Amino acid sequence: MKEGLATDGAEPLLVANSISRRFISGGRRVTALDDVSITLSAGETLGLLGPSGSGKSTLARVITRLIEPDAGEVSFAGQDWLGLKGSALRRQRRLMQMVFQDPLGAFNPRASVLSAITDPLRIHRLAPRGQWRMRANALLDRVQLPASLLDRGIGEISGGQRQRVALARALACEPRLIVLDEAVSALDVSIRGQILDLLVELQRQDGLAYLFVSHDLAVVKAVAHRVAIMDAGRIVETGPTGRVIAQPSSPMARALIAAVPRLHQERPR
């Protein structure tokens, strides 16, 4: 499904270096991230894989500035991402978007599809008001949804359609990186495959980078150029997806592979 990636020695789009984050839970100090480092190039998909509680979603939220790390550095598009504040951060935020596992929870449930998609155009002043509906139509077309959905409520459309609307809203911001946190795990198998194909096509068209967070190795195998395996707040293995699957070196990678029956047999498409 995925296509090959040539970075031609370019500087990485995203560099997270020595990220640590701890929480207090039940009176105990819990380490969610322990000295985690990753890089991601323009046009590349990095699969962030691990079991529940391994720290992958916490890392995604640190990278998107939804939570702050206790230590570490993040560079995005050549800037000190963690150092940005106020209006400077707001200006740059549109370049890094996030799509969540629960598309309904990510929207105002009373919003229309039109308002959900055009909010970024309004907030970031990316188009005059008179062009909003036209732009929303074009964005729905890009995610393979009919324009007739524009005036429907978010709660009136299916889960697969909502996830496509979430992608359309992210694309409205003209991002360079989209972080997908278990973005297809709640969808049935047939819809999941369609969304994965769509992500690959959008990446081909726009040169998008994806940080693809998942517990499902079969899904990551379909879209990721590289994979980073997490366990107990640390990255325990990283490398090209095919190599990690064929020759895993960490116990966690071997356990994830063993949990997927017939992983090496391609699903008929």
Side-chain angles (χ1 to χ4, degrees):
M1 184 184 293
K2 60 182 178 290
E3 298 181 0
L5 175 75
T7 58
D8 298 324
E11 287 295 316
L13 176 66
L14 174 75
V15 178
N17 188 40
S18 299
I19 301 296
S20 295
R21 185 65 161 92
R22 293 170 177 82
F23 297 98
I24 301 297
S25 176
R28 297 188 305 115
R29 193 171 180 83
V30 177
T31 299
L33 297 173
D34 185 8
D35 196 30
V36 172
S37 299
I38 61 169
T39 63
L40 180 58
S41 297
E44 181 185 28
T45 300
L46 175 65
L48 193 59
L49 188 69
S52 177
S54 60
K56 56 190 187 297
S57 290
T58 302
L59 180 59
R61 282 159 173 74
V62 166
I63 287 171
T64 52
R65 294 289 300 272
L66 295 180
I67 60 175
E68 299 294 322
D70 295 323
E73 302 171 332
V74 178
S75 170
F76 175 60
Q79 291 189 295
D80 175 8
W81 182 238
L82 299 182
L84 292 175
K85 307 291 182 185
S87 60
L89 176 60
R90 286 192 295 275
R91 284 194 300 270
Q92 292 300 105
R93 266 196 183 280
R94 71 175 184 84
L95 300 179
M96 184 191 296
Q97 293 295 300
M98 190 166 187
V99 176
F100 297 89
Q101 176 180 1
D102 177 13
L104 186 57
F107 292 111
N108 177 349
R110 298 184 178 181
S112 67
V113 171
L114 176 63
S115 65
I117 294 176
T118 57
D119 273 349
L121 303 179
R122 173 180 57 82
I123 292 168
H124 296 291
R125 301 179 181 179
L126 296 174
R129 187 183 184 91
Q131 295 182 10
W132 288 358
R133 192 174 187 93
M134 179 186 68
R135 291 282 292 271
N137 273 328
L139 287 161
L140 280 189
D141 184 64
R142 292 205 67 195
V143 298
Q144 301 166 7
L145 287 176
S148 59
L149 290 184
L150 276 179
D151 296 312
R152 300 274 299 275
I154 285 291
E156 298 173 356
I157 62 177
S158 71
Q161 289 172 328
R162 278 194 293 268
Q163 203 60 294
R164 289 173 189 262
V165 171
L167 275 172
R169 180 174 65 175
L171 292 172
C173 294
E174 301 172 0
R176 299 185 65 183
L177 167 63
I178 299 180
V179 178
L180 301 122
D181 190 3
E182 299 282 8
V184 298
S185 64
L187 305 176
D188 66 45
V189 173
S190 61
I191 301 300
R192 185 181 307 166
Q194 294 170 15
I195 296 293
L196 294 176
D197 286 339
L198 175 62
L199 288 170
V200 171
E201 178 61 18
L202 291 171
Q203 185 175 63
R204 185 190 67 78
Q205 293 172 357
D206 293 357
L208 292 166
Y210 296 135
L211 179 62
F212 197 96
V213 179
S214 180
H215 66 280
D216 188 334
L217 183 54
V219 168
V220 169
K221 176 178 181 282
V223 296
H225 301 97
R226 290 187 299 120
V227 62
I229 308 292
M230 292 196 69
D231 184 24
R234 298 183 66 90
I235 290 181
V236 295
E237 185 169 357
T238 187
T241 305
R243 194 270 296 161
V244 171
I245 290 174
Q247 298 175 315
S249 61
S250 65
M252 179 52 68
R254 289 193 290 269
L256 290 169
I257 291 169
V260 183
R262 298 181 297 278
L263 180 64
H264 298 283
Q265 298 180 18
E266 293 292 333
R267 172 173 62 88
R269 300 188 55 77

